[in-house]
Amino acid sequence: MKFNFPWRTYQARLLSELGQHLGDNRLHVVAPPGSGKTVLGLEIMRQLNQPCLILCPTLAIRQQWGERLTQDFLNGQQPDWLSYELEKPGTVTIATYQALHAAVKRGDEVWNTLKRLAAGTLIVDECHHLQKAWWQSLMKTYEQWSPTLIALTATPPYDVSGYEWQRYQELCGLIDAEISMPELIAEGNLCPHQDYIWFTLPAAEEQAPLKAFQEAIDDLLDHLKANYTFREHLKAHPWLIRPEVCLEGIYENPSYFSALMIVLEGIGGVAPATAIGIIGADDSLIPEMNLEWLEMFLNEAFYKDPYFEPLIEQPCMVSIYRRLRKAHAIERRRIYLEEPPHLERRIRQSSSKLHAIAAIARAEYGSMGSSLRLLVLTDYIRAEALPRAELEDSPELQKIGVAPIFEVLRRLFPVEVEIGVLTGSLLILPKLLLPALRQHMAQTGLADSGLLASALPHDPHYVRLQPQEHLRKQMTGLVTQLFNDGQLQVLVGTNALLGEGWDAPAANTLILASVVKSFVTSNQARGRVIRTDPRQPAKAANIWHLACMDPYHHAGGLDWKKLAQRFRAFAGPSFEAAPRIENGVGRFHLGELPITPAAVAQTNRRMLEQAGMRDRLRRAWGESIQRGVHMAEEITLPVIRTRRQKQVYEVYWAKNQAMVAPQLEELVEMGNIVMPMVAAGSVAMVISGLIPPQVLLLVGVLLLLLYSLFNLGRNGYIGRLRRLVRQFEAEQQLRVRWGRVGVAAGLSALAAGAIGGWVTGLTVLLLGSAATGLALSLLQGPKLSAAQRQLDEAGNGSLLIERTARGILLTLRQLEMLSSPYFKIQLRMVESAADQQGCYLEGVTLQEEQLFLELLEEALGPIDNPRYLIVRKHYDGETLLSVQHYAVPGLFGQRRAEAEAYRESLQRQMPEPLELLYTRTFEGRRVLLAARAKTLADPEVMRQAAWR
């Protein structure tokens, strides 16, 4: 074997790093479609030089592996050591996951043959496809052989449950290498592209149940607040009145303990002092009740909590249950208060999305004209939606599907655009393309006698094709050729057939009309249009996602929420004058959430405006790529929003308040005295002739320079004083009349100018200002600057992030968990937004970057259930002002020695003393509950990737 072509830059880099990635005998590579994962896998197999089993999700992908092997490595020669059958394995065997599962399940001779083969290399392609049963068979195979594992995927299942992700990583390991989208575009292997969102609102008839549900939930909230008996039962819950007796149960379900207090306070009750005492706080730390907390409480109370079980039949509980049933908020013994599944499905499949598809198609055709190659992918065919007679108005057009989408587009473009349908069971083409189709069939040696074509009853310009069984597989390629050649401009199909593995490089626009909000499915579908096309060197692709907003949901509804989550894995240029490549919906700068007709229309107009500028999109990618070298994932945290940060800041603010305000007023009064004195002395010396004005002017300039050296900048005395004054004025603690100093300076300069001329006046102003500034800085600056420094440190979220990050890095180094040279590692701080600070690492491997981010997220995020806590104490002399708790990341919390190493590393960064607390003792549990309660309302730590 020998690869017959030059390696791309990123491929060569990955192959050169192969040794360090295979340290754990596994390689996990993530790369977008079109990046050459297959040839990378084959080259790695060649270098490992052992019998190999390659597993694929489909027969089509299995065939692709064989073609790449023979064409790219063996000059087109089919080797006798290659097998596609597990029953007759060769040195290299290519099979499907399903075939392996069947063999393992049967446990017959096939499995015994495989065990005797004992492949030294196991390649799992598109490993995100691993279903539960397949995964069990694959794990059994892996454990029996212990081979070198090569896991390749374009789409890690980032959006699955925690258990599924853990299962995925159990086999594949951490991601070793990721080929980023900017690298592929810079190499010319993928085209510039952008993901856009088209927002819709449900149709009037679809909004009615949404409004009714929200009104029912509002009624439920009012009823809970008025339900005195229920409130008394809740207040008497043993976890609240005798928590010290129920600590074991509370420790096992601390979220429910929090929910009990939050709901009790939210419906007008007061949490008992015994419960508040357990968390070591006051009721001001209890977050406001929202639907998420109430939903958690109701599910526990009605279906799990033994305390409420004997109360279920009582009127106070029955009335609540009836309201939940009336609102249709219960499905399969689960209560939903935000958006029940039946309403979520209604929004996902809203007919408004059909109109959105038509609007996008109209706009894209207006922009691209005959160059448009639009692909629309959805989940269901719904062939019954096709009218059965001319002029029939089918009611089924209210549902998303291939046939309804075709109908909407057919009516939108009755003449100018040729539309096709390609699915496994439904095939529609314009009648005028039948000769071209038959010509392609003849060129490939296929007889057209097995192809039955019948005109659509409601539109004779289109025909429905029904190929015989032996032609079905070839039809996909034939219709694709018509699309690539431009004879078809719009193609509507299913994700199942065209969403993965289908290759049509001419496609330049994609509308994802899927109701399955899966990252894996979406990313595979996106891969259909971002491939380069030799016939369109300047190709740029637009990808449209549809979001139907729930106007009665506080956050827009679950359709939007899931789409926003999905966008965390899609990168593109931001909507800015100097765009940067980043992931997430933040790059669109949406501002107001579009849940009103006006906001929806405005946002969609903005999206269309951007989508129509494909030349600008190409330039945005090129300019952004030049400004960076790699995709860096960063952690971001609100600057001063967490309760812990606020508490520290408020403590220092109260401490300095009494001292600082009088000193600031004294400072201003001092300026009123010093300025006239300096001015009068200067005038006197000039008039008496003791000092020439020029000399005085030079002295003034020198004093001003000296003043500047000591005071200019954010962290100079004056910089800190200005911030301190602004803070006191904002709190209405101080009304500083700085104008008095200005008036004194102005009058002194005017007097000097009247007596000795303009040079003398300018000299007095300059000298007086500089001398006054120096005097005030030296007399009062140090004290006030120290006060402001304390406030800066207490409220500086960026400083907390940086110090914690450095403590984690130092611990990783001490515990020898970093393979990258420590002197090459750089911690970069960034300001992601006006109130967001973040950081990322340079000079580390992808695995080390991921590890660092996970540790930092644990350390700074809301506290869950760590084995150890860091206790950070703030003192004023010997007086304890405040205590905060932070989690010791799980990796450092397995043994006390490692936890202590982390504390010591963190202590080097922090000015306050830090202590280590073990939470698995009785007292430790109490502190953990208190610490957890204080972080309940903290915002989640966010992760974002950007090209830097």
Side-chain angles (χ1 to χ4, degrees):
M1 288 176 58
K2 181 182 179 183
F3 189 55
N4 297 327
F5 306 96
W7 292 110
R8 299 168 185 172
T9 304
Y10 55 83
Q11 291 173 328
R13 185 193 71 237
L14 192 150
L15 291 171
S16 69
E17 298 170 349
L18 195 58
Q20 69 183 69
H21 292 321
L22 287 172
D24 60 350
N25 211 32
R26 287 187 296 190
L27 175 66
H28 187 183
V29 178
V30 175
S35 57
K37 293 189 301 296
T38 304
V39 293
L40 269 176
L42 291 169
E43 174 63 17
I44 294 168
M45 176 187 78
R46 186 193 70 80
Q47 292 190 23
L48 293 175
N49 196 28
Q50 296 173 326
C52 179
L53 174 62
I54 302 171
L55 294 173
C56 313
T58 65
L59 292 172
I61 296 177
R62 183 192 72 172
Q63 195 65 27
Q64 288 176 12
W65 273 85
E67 291 171 357
R68 294 279 71 77
L69 173 61
T70 55
Q71 293 174 15
D72 296 350
F73 287 84
L74 299 172
N75 299 314
Q77 301 298 314
Q78 180 82 18
D80 57 6
W81 42 262
L82 172 63
S83 171
Y84 293 97
E85 300 178 19
L86 287 177
E87 291 80 1
K88 300 177 182 178
T91 306
V92 174
T93 307
I94 310 175
T96 63
Y97 293 115
Q98 191 171 3
L100 177 70
H101 173 61
V104 173
K105 188 176 180 181
R106 288 195 306 265
D108 58 11
E109 188 57 32
V110 173
W111 176 238
N112 295 327
T113 303
L114 286 172
K115 285 195 288 185
R116 285 197 299 272
L117 177 67
T121 304
L122 176 61
I123 299 178
V124 289
D125 187 26
E126 301 299 356
C127 41
H128 57 268
H129 277 285
L130 293 178
Q131 300 174 7
K132 185 176 181 180
W134 295 1
W135 175 82
Q136 290 172 344
S137 298
L138 185 59
M139 284 302 296
K140 184 176 180 180
T141 304
Y142 179 67
E143 290 165 359
Q144 289 261 346
W145 293 345
S146 299
T148 299
L149 179 75
I150 311 299
L152 307 172
T153 184
T155 50
Y158 291 122
D159 56 350
V160 297
S161 67
Y163 168 73
E164 290 175 294
W165 178 254
Q166 183 181 1
R167 189 184 70 189
Y168 174 81
Q169 285 197 321
E170 183 181 346
L171 175 71
C172 303
L174 293 174
I175 297 172
D176 292 287
E178 185 166 5
I179 298 171
S180 67
M181 197 65 73
E183 288 179 284
L184 293 168
I185 293 175
E187 291 264 339
N189 302 127
L190 293 179
C191 74
H193 57 275
Q194 179 64 287
D195 293 88
Y196 299 98
I197 304 172
W198 187 275
F199 292 92
T200 71
L201 291 173
E205 63 274 13
E206 295 169 340
Q207 288 197 26
L210 299 174
K211 183 180 180 181
F213 177 76
Q214 189 57 55
E215 289 174 348
I217 296 304
D218 291 340
D219 175 66
L220 172 67
L221 292 173
D222 292 339
H223 174 70
L224 286 172
K225 293 174 182 178
N227 193 333
Y228 174 80
T229 306
F230 170 74
R231 187 166 64 244
E232 289 302 305
H233 281 309
L234 177 55
K235 189 175 181 179
H237 196 289
W239 283 21
L240 297 182
I241 62 172
R242 295 188 303 277
E244 67 284 348
V245 180
C246 309
L247 284 179
E248 284 303 316
I250 293 174
Y251 295 152
E252 290 177 6
N253 196 353
S255 296
Y256 183 47
F257 178 62
S258 301
L260 288 170
M261 289 189 289
I262 291 168
V263 173
L264 178 59
E265 295 259 346
I267 63 175
V270 178
T274 49
I276 298 294
I278 281 290
I279 64 173
D282 55 60
D283 57 2
S284 67
L285 285 178
I286 299 176
E288 291 186 9
M289 183 182 73
N290 56 29
L291 292 182
E292 185 178 355
W293 281 112
L294 181 58
E295 182 180 297
M296 178 198 298
F297 163 74
L298 290 175
N299 276 296
E300 291 281 342
F302 275 97
Y303 299 118
K304 297 179 182 179
D305 190 346
Y307 169 72
F308 283 104
E309 189 173 341
L311 304 175
I312 291 294
E313 301 300 325
Q314 292 195 14
C316 65
M317 295 288 284
V318 170
S319 61
I320 297 172
Y321 190 77
R322 283 177 177 169
R323 282 172 168 78
L324 291 169
R325 296 290 297 180
K326 184 179 178 182
H328 303 288
I330 303 177
E331 290 193 26
R332 297 182 179 181
R333 290 180 57 83
R334 176 164 175 77
I335 296 169
Y336 298 88
L337 297 186
E338 294 202 86
E339 212 170 63
H342 71 278
L343 290 181
E344 184 190 351
R345 288 191 295 270
R346 183 184 290 263
I347 292 175
R348 264 203 329 258
Q349 302 177 22
S350 169
S351 61
S352 65
K353 292 186 177 182
L354 284 172
H355 303 299
I357 293 168
I360 295 168
R362 185 187 303 112
E364 290 286 13
Y365 179 73
S367 173
M368 299 285 290
S370 60
S371 300
L372 177 67
R373 301 291 181 274
L374 170 61
L375 174 66
V376 186
L377 292 179
T378 189
D379 304 302
Y380 307 107
I381 297 176
R382 303 196 195 281
E384 66 278 5
L386 292 174
R388 289 161 294 186
E390 192 173 2
L391 302 179
E392 178 185 343
D393 187 13
S394 173
E396 291 297 329
L397 291 187
Q398 297 300 309
K399 294 183 179 180
I400 292 283
V402 170
I405 292 170
F406 167 74
E407 274 301 296
V408 166
L409 295 177
R410 183 189 65 83
R411 297 171 190 179
L412 177 67
F413 299 117
V415 177
E416 63 268 43
V417 175
E418 305 300 342
I419 306 167
V421 168
L422 179 58
T423 75
S425 60
L426 181 63
L427 182 58
I428 299 174
L429 288 178
K431 185 176 180 180
L432 61 85
L433 293 187
L434 278 179
L437 177 66
R438 290 194 165 100
Q439 182 181 353
H440 289 319
M441 292 177 68
Q443 290 172 352
T444 54
L446 297 172
D448 64 0
S449 58
L451 184 65
L452 177 64
S454 57
L456 293 184
H458 64 292
D459 189 343
H461 295 95
Y462 284 90
V463 294
R464 181 170 181 174
L465 303 177
Q466 293 175 301
Q468 291 184 0
E469 191 64 34
H470 70 282
L471 287 178
R472 285 188 181 277
K473 291 184 179 179
Q474 283 75 19
M475 294 310 298
T476 299
L478 292 168
V479 175
T480 302
Q481 189 170 350
L482 295 175
F483 183 68
N484 280 328
D485 292 342
Q487 294 168 295
L488 271 179
Q489 290 174 275
V490 178
L491 190 60
V492 185
T494 56
N495 270 311
L497 183 65
L498 306 180
E500 183 175 2
W502 180 69
D503 191 14
N508 53 34
T509 306
L510 170 67
I511 300 177
L512 280 169
S514 170
V515 300
V516 179
K517 293 291 190 256
S518 160
F519 162 67
V520 168
T521 303
S522 302
N523 204 35
Q524 288 292 340
R526 291 170 74 250
R528 303 316 101 208
V529 297
I530 63 179
R531 295 176 184 270
T532 56
D533 184 3
R535 292 178 290 186
Q536 300 180 65
K539 173 184 172 181
N542 287 348
I543 303 162
W544 287 93
H545 305 256
L546 309 178
C548 185
M549 308 298 284
D550 182 347
Y552 302 100
H553 190 281
H554 65 95
L558 297 183
D559 194 50
W560 162 244
K561 180 181 178 181
K562 291 181 179 179
L563 180 62
Q565 290 174 340
R566 187 166 62 180
F567 259 77
R568 293 178 186 174
F570 304 153
S574 57
F575 284 10
E576 296 170 306
R580 72 170 191 161
I581 299 167
E582 59 185 45
N583 67 346
V585 295
R587 67 177 183 264
F588 301 127
H589 301 284
L590 293 175
E592 177 190 358
L593 194 64
I595 55 175
T596 64
V600 165
Q602 180 181 359
T603 305
N604 289 342
R605 280 195 299 270
R606 188 159 166 260
M607 292 285 176
L608 283 179
E609 179 184 347
Q610 293 283 337
M613 298 185 288
R614 299 200 187 211
D615 288 339
R616 185 176 177 220
L617 176 62
R618 284 190 288 269
R619 289 197 304 273
W621 272 100
E623 293 168 4
S624 300
I625 287 172
Q626 289 178 0
R627 288 195 291 267
V629 291
H630 72 291
M631 286 296 288
E633 194 171 7
E634 61 196 41
I635 284 282
T636 58
L637 187 70
V639 172
I640 189 171
R641 285 190 185 167
T642 71
R643 288 177 178 269
R644 287 170 287 188
Q645 285 290 104
K646 280 184 178 180
Q647 186 179 7
V648 175
Y649 185 82
E650 288 165 0
V651 165
Y652 281 110
W653 176 259
K655 170 182 174 292
N656 290 304
Q657 188 174 348
M659 175 194 75
V660 172
Q663 287 187 340
L664 283 174
E665 291 180 347
E666 183 183 335
L667 191 66
V668 177
E669 294 302 325
M670 194 181 301
N672 295 333
I673 298 171
V674 173
M675 184 70 194
M677 288 178 59
V678 173
S682 303
V683 172
M685 285 187 287
V686 170
I687 293 175
S688 64
L690 292 176
I691 299 179
Q694 295 82 355
V695 174
L696 206 60
L697 183 62
L698 180 61
V699 172
V701 170
L702 291 175
L703 286 174
L704 187 62
L705 288 173
L706 185 63
Y707 166 81
S708 301
L709 288 173
F710 278 98
N711 294 288
L712 286 189
R714 175 178 173 82
N715 291 320
Y717 283 158
I718 295 300
R720 288 200 177 103
L721 290 176
R722 285 173 181 163
R723 294 203 306 281
L724 197 60
V725 169
R726 282 198 296 269
Q727 287 170 296
F728 271 84
E729 287 180 324
E731 296 286 334
Q732 297 182 341
Q733 297 289 333
L734 179 68
R735 186 181 176 189
V736 180
R737 297 179 177 86
W738 290 105
R740 292 181 180 178
V741 180
V743 170
L747 290 176
S748 303
L750 286 174
I755 297 171
W758 69 270
V759 174
T760 303
L762 179 62
T763 302
V764 168
L765 182 62
L766 181 62
L767 181 64
S769 299
T772 302
L774 277 173
L776 300 184
S777 298
L778 293 173
L779 289 171
Q780 292 291 342
K783 292 181 181 179
L784 296 177
S785 180
Q788 181 59 38
R789 187 184 296 112
Q790 267 190 343
L791 291 174
D792 280 350
E793 291 228 350
N796 192 337
S798 177
L799 197 60
L800 174 65
I801 295 174
E802 182 176 3
R803 287 172 171 172
T804 307
R806 294 195 183 282
I808 288 172
L809 275 177
L810 190 56
T811 310
L812 288 172
R813 181 190 181 190
Q814 289 179 347
L815 299 179
E816 298 182 348
M817 294 180 177
L818 295 174
S819 60
S820 301
Y822 196 74
F823 67 90
K824 289 185 177 180
I825 300 175
Q826 297 291 327
L827 179 69
R828 303 294 188 191
M829 303 300 297
V830 294
E831 187 171 318
S832 302
D835 62 346
Q836 300 284 338
Q837 296 288 344
C839 72
Y840 65 96
L841 281 186
E842 288 184 348
V844 294
T845 66
L846 182 64
Q847 273 197 330
E848 290 168 345
E849 179 190 53
Q850 294 295 316
L851 175 62
F852 166 78
L853 292 174
E854 289 175 9
L855 294 174
L856 188 57
E857 193 171 1
E858 281 188 76
L860 293 178
I863 294 172
D864 186 20
N865 190 26
R867 290 172 59 84
Y868 289 93
L869 287 173
I870 292 293
V871 185
R872 184 182 181 190
K873 297 183 177 181
H874 300 263
Y875 287 93
D876 178 25
E878 294 184 359
T879 304
L880 181 63
L881 297 176
S882 176
V883 179
Q884 273 74 44
H885 300 89
Y886 296 88
V888 173
L891 182 66
F892 302 151
Q894 298 302 314
R895 289 178 290 274
R896 186 173 187 88
E898 293 169 352
E900 184 61 34
Y902 173 63
R903 187 204 66 79
E904 291 175 358
S905 299
L906 205 57
Q907 183 66 82
R908 298 185 191 181
Q909 318 299 322
M910 300 285 188
E912 303 87 7
L914 304 179
E915 297 176 4
L916 188 67
L917 176 70
Y918 183 57
T919 64
R920 298 307 190 250
T921 63
F922 181 82
E923 184 57 33
R925 288 286 192 180
R926 292 176 65 96
V927 175
L928 177 59
L929 278 176
R932 194 176 185 279
K934 292 177 183 177
T935 65
L936 283 176
D938 280 3
E940 294 289 336
V941 176
M942 295 172 290
R943 290 169 70 161
Q944 183 181 17
W947 182 256
R948 298 189 181 279

